[in-house]
Amino acid sequence: MAGPDRRFRALVCAYAVSGYGNYLNLIALSLFSYEVTGSAFGVGMLLALRLFAGSLAGLAAGALLARTSRRPVMIGADVAQAAVMAVLALCAFSTPAWLLGCAAVVLGAGNVFFTVALRSAVPAMVGQESRTRANGLLVTARSIATVLGFASAAPVIAAGGFATAFAVNAVSFVVSAVALLVLRPRTDGDHGDDVQESAERERDDRGSRRWRAMAGLPALLLGMIMLRGVDALASSSHNVALPLVAHSTAPSEPAVFMTKFWVAWAVGTLTAHFVLRRSRHGSAWGERAFAVGTFAMSLAFLAAFAAPAAPTLMLAAAAAGFADGWTEIVYTSRLQTAPDRQRSRLFGLSATAETAGFALGAVLAAAALEALPALTVVGAFHGAAMCGSLVLLLFTLRRPSRARPPFTSEEEGDTHGTRTGTGALPGA
């Protein structure tokens, strides 16, 4: 089985660079927002504005990308984010609050537009058979970018101030945009695919096949998306609670505690990629594997907060990272089996569910932590995700998925070059 080619790997490297800038900026912009607004409420409002913009962008992205090419949208998202970070870098010494608000909107919407376009374009870039490996590479790149971005935020800010951190983030977006311009990856299916999809939908409108499509695949995908939103809500709890645990467990070096946690988590996500890459059934994992992975991830995060002392913490964080990487790859690969234009809508809806879930969870978790211990709050939130995963798992066990097998050779056709076409990525 052919894997992703060098052009896609080059895009992954550019994606890692922009991801590094994003995670560096996540810390820098939070600290800078506190300096500008002078209150935790101001920081929270800017974060809420960013997440709200991302939620709306998820709905808009699905509709937009179903009607237009994905590559220009990705480039436009990179350019817009680079521009706003360049402005912040130039105005770092005198930034009005309204400018920070505008930046939050652009960053929130731009990130979602880019992510939805990228995820839905992977099958067109590498072919359906290689999508699981490609998603693994993207998850690996994100994990490495997370660790490096968080680890280097303090040194970068200390060395050059917020202006330098913002400039680095702007350059990272430029790198991604230039890579898309130079490499010109294929991001959209052929017109013939759309004709075939329309014909299949018309056939599905007749007889029992219509009911099979309506009662089978859409219901399971909707369940996966809903569980993904609940998982995002649960994840917000450990993100909010982790700094509190770090200060109580290691008051002399909380940053080191958090670094160890996220490094162990990143190692786990990398391991998940290698395991799925070597699995013969990696491209066929579906709803059940996603439900089991979500349950295991929540259980691992609970274990990490129940026993925050090393080495138990490291093992639990690595297990959580493995389950996180597993569910990310399986979930993304499963949605990518949908027809080309439907994928954009699915990923747009998914982005909205994830962003809204995280935003709601962050607010609720922050309020709950004022009165309850971290373990109680994290347990309640991740308990909800575990219950949701059990519901989805029981649904799939009682009612096996009737979705079509992912793009058999007879349905997909080799004329479009996707089954063997990872050796070259035609220009969009």
Side-chain angles (χ1 to χ4, degrees):
M1 181 186 301
D5 71 350
R6 292 182 179 179
R7 192 178 301 186
F8 181 78
R9 293 177 185 275
L11 283 175
V12 171
C13 291
Y15 171 74
V17 171
S18 65
Y20 163 78
N22 270 330
Y23 288 108
L24 168 66
N25 176 55
L26 189 63
I27 293 180
L29 193 59
S30 296
L31 296 173
F32 185 69
S33 298
Y34 185 78
E35 284 198 1
V36 172
T37 62
S39 68
F41 177 78
V43 176
M45 289 300 295
L46 287 171
L47 177 60
L49 183 61
R50 182 171 180 170
L51 293 172
F52 180 71
S55 298
L56 294 181
L59 297 176
L64 174 63
L65 293 170
R67 294 173 174 80
T68 187
S69 179
R70 298 183 178 100
R71 191 169 69 95
V73 174
M74 295 166 69
I75 294 173
D78 278 334
V79 170
Q81 293 179 91
V84 75
M85 293 313 301
V87 171
L88 284 183
L90 294 174
C91 302
F93 298 102
S94 179
T95 304
W98 65 264
L99 181 58
L100 271 181
C102 291
V105 170
V106 173
L107 292 172
N111 181 65
V112 168
F113 272 111
F114 183 92
T115 302
V116 171
L118 176 63
R119 287 180 173 180
S120 58
V122 166
M125 289 181 178
V126 302
Q128 282 289 342
E129 286 192 343
S130 297
R131 71 184 189 281
T132 299
R133 292 189 179 186
N135 292 326
L137 289 175
L138 291 172
V139 169
T140 298
R142 184 198 65 183
S143 302
I144 295 174
T146 301
V147 175
L148 294 180
F150 284 161
S152 64
V156 170
I157 295 172
F162 292 111
T164 300
F166 297 155
V168 169
N169 192 200
V171 171
S172 72
F173 286 125
V174 172
V175 169
S176 177
V178 170
L180 288 166
L181 283 169
V182 173
L183 297 173
R184 296 184 61 82
R186 174 183 178 176
T187 57
D188 303 281
D190 291 339
H191 176 68
D193 293 336
D194 295 333
V195 174
Q196 181 181 358
E197 292 163 16
S198 298
E200 289 174 353
R201 286 195 297 269
E202 291 176 3
R203 289 196 299 270
D204 285 341
D205 285 338
R206 296 191 297 269
S208 62
R209 292 180 62 185
R210 175 186 62 182
W211 298 108
R212 181 176 64 188
M214 292 178 62
L217 177 60
L220 290 175
L221 286 180
L222 180 60
M224 291 182 72
I225 292 173
M226 292 176 63
L227 179 56
R228 191 68 173 174
V230 175
D231 174 52
L233 183 144
S235 296
S236 67
S237 67
H238 66 251
N239 277 277
V240 174
L242 188 60
L244 302 181
V245 175
H247 279 88
S248 62
T249 304
S252 61
E253 45 185 20
V256 174
F257 178 93
M258 293 186 65
T259 299
K260 289 180 178 179
F261 182 92
W262 289 119
V263 167
W265 171 87
V267 170
T269 60
L270 294 175
T271 306
H273 164 54
F274 290 122
V275 170
L276 280 173
R277 186 181 66 178
R278 298 179 180 278
S279 173
R280 293 182 178 181
H281 306 289
S283 61
W285 295 113
E287 297 86 356
R288 294 176 186 175
F290 172 67
V292 171
T294 302
F295 185 93
M297 177 172 57
S298 290
L299 187 63
F301 275 119
L302 280 176
F305 278 80
T312 306
L313 172 74
M314 304 292 287
L315 293 174
F322 180 88
D324 199 358
W326 174 281
T327 54
E328 173 76 13
I329 296 170
V330 169
Y331 176 77
T332 304
S333 299
R334 180 64 187 88
L335 264 61
Q336 286 168 349
T337 62
D340 185 71
R341 293 305 176 189
Q342 189 183 36
R343 284 201 302 270
S344 298
R345 297 183 184 277
L346 285 173
F347 279 109
L349 180 61
S350 176
T352 297
E354 293 176 56
T355 308
F358 192 90
L360 178 62
V363 173
L364 295 179
L369 285 168
E370 293 292 329
L372 298 172
L375 179 59
T376 302
V377 175
V378 173
F381 278 67
H382 278 286
M386 293 168 71
C387 290
S389 62
L390 289 177
V391 170
L392 179 60
L393 182 60
L394 290 175
F395 182 80
T396 60
L397 291 175
R398 294 182 59 184
R399 186 178 189 175
S401 173
R402 297 175 181 175
R404 295 182 307 169
F407 295 91
T408 62
S409 58
E410 185 177 351
E411 291 173 332
E412 178 188 7
D414 291 335
T415 56
H416 303 309
T418 52
R419 289 177 67 91
T420 60
T422 57
L425 295 173

